Amino acid sequence: MKIVTMLKDVVRSLVKRPFTRPYPREKQPAPERLRGKLHYNPEKCTGCCLCSMECPANALELITLDKKEKRFVMRYHLDRCTYCAQCVQNCRFGCLEMSPAEWELAAASKEPFTIYYGNEEDVATVLAKHTGTDAEPPG
Ligand code: SF4
Ligand code: SF4
């Protein structure tokens, strides 16, 4: 390559906008069907455990506080989840969904990877009983 041609290329590349997107400064909307973070709504949950039993990554634990009263807490291990959506398919009551908007899930510590879903009081009860995130759920 001639030196003049090379210099022209260098100058051109200095003034041209880059082809790559300036992420994370500018974010593109994620596709609607993207499988992001899993969410659990306890309202219609029956406690059948189909979601947790069939999870290939052992990422879900349903903690039953009172089956009659339908008091359940879902412990979701985000760091184990493979985003296969099998749990979403298995739940016949529509309690589980994956958010396409929540996909930037990296963290510098382990704490944000263990998520408790359920009503506030029930989650507080579970957390009070179990100090470590790897503790066994109550009976
Ligand atoms: S998306 Fe797949 S890996 Fe993640 S919790 Fe559901 S079944 Fe388990
Ligand atoms: S499959 Fe649905 S109804 Fe059954 S325990 Fe899981 S979330 Fe609840």
Side-chain angles (χ1 to χ4, degrees), residues 61 63 75 77 114 116 126 129-138:
E61 293 169 78
I63 300 167
R75 182 154 54 193
H77 299 274
T114 304
Y116 289 82
V126 169
K129 280 186 186 173
H130 304 278
T131 45
T133 51
D134 289 332
E136 285 299 310

Side-chain angles (χ1 to χ4, degrees), residues 40 44-52 62 74 87 90-93 95-96:
Y40 164 73
K44 291 183 191 162
C45 183
T46 61
C48 68
C49 287
L50 257 184
C51 52
S52 54
L62 189 77
M74 182 70 82
C87 53
N90 280 352
C91 182
R92 290 174 295 142
F93 303 96
C95 305
L96 297 165

